[in-house]
Amino acid sequence: VMTASPTPKLCDDRQIPTYKKLADMMHEYDCKVALQLFHPEYDVPAVGRLIMGSRKLMMDAQAAKAQGDMAKFGQLMAESKKIADEAYAKLHHDMKHFVSECSVEQLNQIKHAIAEAARRAMEAGIDAIEVHGDRLLGSLCSVILNHRTDEYGGCLENRCRYALEVVKAIKEAAPT
């Protein structure tokens, strides 16, 4: 997952040993370790690609400046700003509308990613998983934020359906 977020992630099996090292160290001191899983209510890959693209252009601009090419520096900085502005406009839009606009396919991908993170956490020896209820899952449950007309919108049962599906997927992926 391409993202510009500094939040630690457990989205790849290669990260399991690092989390296992943390869990083992904490267990030596008779401590328990819990991870909070969440997906923000916006299109993370798309916003991440835009932000990373903007950052790359900014670095290229600095290289052009170091070589004394101020015309190229100005051009690249303008392109970087344009892309960054697009990223933050998308982020602002998605924060308000992603819950209602994301497809069932996207929701299924997110559910699978959360379940896989739980599996990785279990393999790393993490003691507990908490699902952040004030992001995507909480927004889907909200009568104020959720304007969907499919099986995830409308009545309370439908609005809570996704959260229950995520819990079920976690239990299947990480049963212990």
Side-chain angles (χ1 to χ4, degrees):
V1 174
M2 179 178 285
T3 178
S5 170
T7 305
K9 293 159 192 63
L10 188 49
C11 57
D12 189 299
D13 283 356
R14 293 173 295 185
Q15 297 164 314
I16 293 171
T18 301
Y19 280 85
K20 177 143 183 48
K21 191 175 187 179
L22 171 68
D24 290 347
M25 188 180 309
M26 298 300 288
H27 292 153
E28 283 182 30
Y29 293 94
D30 204 26
C31 297
K32 300 293 183 188
V33 182
L35 295 182
Q36 185 180 70
L37 302 179
F38 74 95
H39 186 282
E41 58 279 353
Y42 57 88
D43 186 351
V44 175
V47 172
R49 280 190 299 272
L50 288 168
I51 291 172
M52 297 306 285
S54 172
R55 287 182 182 169
K56 179 168 183 342
L57 284 169
M58 194 177 299
M59 291 187 322
D60 292 348
Q62 291 303 322
K65 182 178 181 181
Q67 294 173 353
D69 190 342
M70 295 310 289
K72 187 171 183 179
F73 168 76
Q75 172 202 350
L76 292 171
M77 287 301 289
E79 288 179 43
S80 173
K81 182 181 181 332
K82 181 179 181 246
I83 292 173
D85 290 347
E86 289 174 25
Y88 289 103
K90 178 166 182 43
L91 180 64
H92 177 74
H93 169 272
D94 286 356
M95 290 291 282
K96 291 173 88 175
H97 303 288
F98 184 76
V99 168
S100 296
E101 294 177 352
C102 68
S103 69
V104 171
E105 179 183 346
Q106 284 174 299
L107 289 174
N108 285 331
Q109 290 170 349
I110 293 165
K111 178 175 41 182
H112 178 73
I114 290 172
E116 282 296 295
R119 176 192 57 79
R120 289 181 187 99
M122 179 187 72
E123 290 179 16
I126 301 299
D127 300 294
I129 293 295
E130 176 187 28
V131 179
H132 195 312
D134 190 32
R135 301 297 299 217
L136 178 62
L137 275 65
S139 297
L140 278 163
C141 292
S142 169
V143 70
I144 295 170
L145 299 175
N146 182 342
H147 304 288
R148 299 178 73 95
T149 58
D150 62 6
E151 68 267 32
Y152 298 114
C155 68
L156 178 62
E157 181 181 349
N158 285 358
R159 292 192 322 270
C160 293
R161 181 181 317 275
Y162 186 72
L164 295 173
E165 288 178 3
V166 167
V167 170
K168 180 180 178 193
I170 289 170
K171 286 181 175 183
E172 289 172 359
T176 59

PDB file of all heavy atoms in Angstrom, residues 78-90:
ATOM      1  N   ALA A  78       6.100  24.101  -9.439  1.00  0.00           N
ATOM      2  CA  ALA A  78       4.709  24.404  -9.788  1.00  0.00           C
ATOM      3  C   ALA A  78       3.915  23.110  -9.990  1.00  0.00           C
ATOM      4  O   ALA A  78       2.774  22.986  -9.521  1.00  0.00           O
ATOM      5  CB  ALA A  78       4.645  25.279 -11.036  1.00  0.00           C
ATOM      6  N   GLU A  79       4.529  22.133 -10.675  1.00  0.00           N
ATOM      7  CA  GLU A  79       3.863  20.833 -10.866  1.00  0.00           C
ATOM      8  C   GLU A  79       3.643  20.141  -9.525  1.00  0.00           C
ATOM      9  O   GLU A  79       2.579  19.560  -9.276  1.00  0.00           O
ATOM     10  CB  GLU A  79       4.702  19.935 -11.781  1.00  0.00           C
ATOM     11  CG  GLU A  79       4.719  20.345 -13.239  1.00  0.00           C
ATOM     12  CD  GLU A  79       5.599  19.417 -14.070  1.00  0.00           C
ATOM     13  OE1 GLU A  79       5.537  18.184 -13.870  1.00  0.00           O
ATOM     14  OE2 GLU A  79       6.360  19.942 -14.899  1.00  0.00           O
ATOM     15  N   SER A  80       4.639  20.203  -8.648  1.00  0.00           N
ATOM     16  CA  SER A  80       4.534  19.582  -7.330  1.00  0.00           C
ATOM     17  C   SER A  80       3.379  20.202  -6.540  1.00  0.00           C
ATOM     18  O   SER A  80       2.583  19.492  -5.927  1.00  0.00           O
ATOM     19  CB  SER A  80       5.848  19.759  -6.560  1.00  0.00           C
ATOM     20  OG  SER A  80       5.706  19.304  -5.236  1.00  0.00           O
ATOM     21  N   LYS A  81       3.291  21.515  -6.570  1.00  0.00           N
ATOM     22  CA  LYS A  81       2.210  22.203  -5.837  1.00  0.00           C
ATOM     23  C   LYS A  81       0.850  21.835  -6.408  1.00  0.00           C
ATOM     24  O   LYS A  81      -0.104  21.596  -5.663  1.00  0.00           O
ATOM     25  CB  LYS A  81       2.404  23.707  -5.872  1.00  0.00           C
ATOM     26  CG  LYS A  81       1.323  24.447  -5.079  1.00  0.00           C
ATOM     27  CD  LYS A  81       1.489  25.934  -5.124  1.00  0.00           C
ATOM     28  CE  LYS A  81       0.472  26.698  -4.330  1.00  0.00           C
ATOM     29  NZ  LYS A  81      -0.832  26.124  -4.130  1.00  0.00           N
ATOM     30  N   LYS A  82       0.751  21.757  -7.734  1.00  0.00           N
ATOM     31  CA  LYS A  82      -0.521  21.403  -8.370  1.00  0.00           C
ATOM     32  C   LYS A  82      -0.982  20.009  -7.927  1.00  0.00           C
ATOM     33  O   LYS A  82      -2.144  19.801  -7.572  1.00  0.00           O
ATOM     34  CB  LYS A  82      -0.378  21.457  -9.890  1.00  0.00           C
ATOM     35  CG  LYS A  82      -1.651  21.121 -10.641  1.00  0.00           C
ATOM     36  CD  LYS A  82      -1.437  21.218 -12.157  1.00  0.00           C
ATOM     37  CE  LYS A  82      -2.725  20.892 -12.870  1.00  0.00           C
ATOM     38  NZ  LYS A  82      -2.681  19.694 -13.656  1.00  0.00           N
ATOM     39  N   ILE A  83      -0.052  19.063  -7.926  1.00  0.00           N
ATOM     40  CA  ILE A  83      -0.401  17.695  -7.524  1.00  0.00           C
ATOM     41  C   ILE A  83      -0.733  17.642  -6.032  1.00  0.00           C
ATOM     42  O   ILE A  83      -1.680  16.959  -5.622  1.00  0.00           O
ATOM     43  CB  ILE A  83       0.726  16.715  -7.894  1.00  0.00           C
ATOM     44  CG1 ILE A  83       0.804  16.590  -9.420  1.00  0.00           C
ATOM     45  CG2 ILE A  83       0.504  15.348  -7.259  1.00  0.00           C
ATOM     46  CD1 ILE A  83       1.982  15.784  -9.913  1.00  0.00           C
ATOM     47  N   ALA A  84       0.025  18.354  -5.215  1.00  0.00           N
ATOM     48  CA  ALA A  84      -0.269  18.383  -3.771  1.00  0.00           C
ATOM     49  C   ALA A  84      -1.649  18.974  -3.527  1.00  0.00           C
ATOM     50  O   ALA A  84      -2.415  18.466  -2.698  1.00  0.00           O
ATOM     51  CB  ALA A  84       0.799  19.178  -3.031  1.00  0.00           C
ATOM     52  N   ASP A  85      -1.981  20.038  -4.249  1.00  0.00           N
ATOM     53  CA  ASP A  85      -3.315  20.635  -4.111  1.00  0.00           C
ATOM     54  C   ASP A  85      -4.404  19.639  -4.495  1.00  0.00           C
ATOM     55  O   ASP A  85      -5.444  19.561  -3.835  1.00  0.00           O
ATOM     56  CB  ASP A  85      -3.437  21.906  -4.953  1.00  0.00           C
ATOM     57  CG  ASP A  85      -2.616  23.070  -4.414  1.00  0.00           C
ATOM     58  OD1 ASP A  85      -2.138  22.995  -3.262  1.00  0.00           O
ATOM     59  OD2 ASP A  85      -2.447  24.060  -5.171  1.00  0.00           O
ATOM     60  N   GLU A  86      -4.161  18.862  -5.565  1.00  0.00           N
ATOM     61  CA  GLU A  86      -5.122  17.821  -5.970  1.00  0.00           C
ATOM     62  C   GLU A  86      -5.268  16.773  -4.869  1.00  0.00           C
ATOM     63  O   GLU A  86      -6.378  16.324  -4.576  1.00  0.00           O
ATOM     64  CB  GLU A  86      -4.659  17.131  -7.258  1.00  0.00           C
ATOM     65  CG  GLU A  86      -4.748  17.964  -8.501  1.00  0.00           C
ATOM     66  CD  GLU A  86      -4.138  17.251  -9.716  1.00  0.00           C
ATOM     67  OE1 GLU A  86      -4.086  16.001  -9.725  1.00  0.00           O
ATOM     68  OE2 GLU A  86      -3.703  17.950 -10.628  1.00  0.00           O
ATOM     69  N   ALA A  87      -4.147  16.392  -4.264  1.00  0.00           N
ATOM     70  CA  ALA A  87      -4.177  15.373  -3.209  1.00  0.00           C
ATOM     71  C   ALA A  87      -5.016  15.847  -2.034  1.00  0.00           C
ATOM     72  O   ALA A  87      -5.868  15.108  -1.525  1.00  0.00           O
ATOM     73  CB  ALA A  87      -2.759  15.050  -2.746  1.00  0.00           C
ATOM     74  N   TYR A  88      -4.791  17.067  -1.603  1.00  0.00           N
ATOM     75  CA  TYR A  88      -5.518  17.555  -0.432  1.00  0.00           C
ATOM     76  C   TYR A  88      -6.978  17.855  -0.746  1.00  0.00           C
ATOM     77  O   TYR A  88      -7.848  17.692   0.117  1.00  0.00           O
ATOM     78  CB  TYR A  88      -4.773  18.722   0.212  1.00  0.00           C
ATOM     79  CG  TYR A  88      -3.511  18.208   0.871  1.00  0.00           C
ATOM     80  CD1 TYR A  88      -2.269  18.391   0.280  1.00  0.00           C
ATOM     81  CD2 TYR A  88      -3.574  17.440   2.034  1.00  0.00           C
ATOM     82  CE1 TYR A  88      -1.123  17.858   0.849  1.00  0.00           C
ATOM     83  CE2 TYR A  88      -2.435  16.907   2.608  1.00  0.00           C
ATOM     84  CZ  TYR A  88      -1.215  17.121   2.021  1.00  0.00           C
ATOM     85  OH  TYR A  88      -0.089  16.583   2.582  1.00  0.00           O
ATOM     86  N   ALA A  89      -7.279  18.230  -2.002  1.00  0.00           N
ATOM     87  CA  ALA A  89      -8.679  18.391  -2.399  1.00  0.00           C
ATOM     88  C   ALA A  89      -9.371  17.027  -2.389  1.00  0.00           C
ATOM     89  O   ALA A  89     -10.512  16.903  -1.914  1.00  0.00           O
ATOM     90  CB  ALA A  89      -8.772  19.030  -3.785  1.00  0.00           C
ATOM     91  N   LYS A  90      -8.688  15.992  -2.889  1.00  0.00           N
ATOM     92  CA  LYS A  90      -9.256  14.637  -2.871  1.00  0.00           C
ATOM     93  C   LYS A  90      -9.440  14.162  -1.435  1.00  0.00           C
ATOM     94  O   LYS A  90     -10.477  13.594  -1.099  1.00  0.00           O
ATOM     95  CB  LYS A  90      -8.373  13.667  -3.652  1.00  0.00           C
ATOM     96  CG  LYS A  90      -8.906  12.239  -3.627  1.00  0.00           C
ATOM     97  CD  LYS A  90      -8.249  11.359  -4.631  1.00  0.00           C
ATOM     98  CE  LYS A  90      -8.821   9.957  -4.646  1.00  0.00           C
ATOM     99  NZ  LYS A  90     -10.265   9.839  -4.576  1.00  0.00           N
TER     100      LYS A  90
END
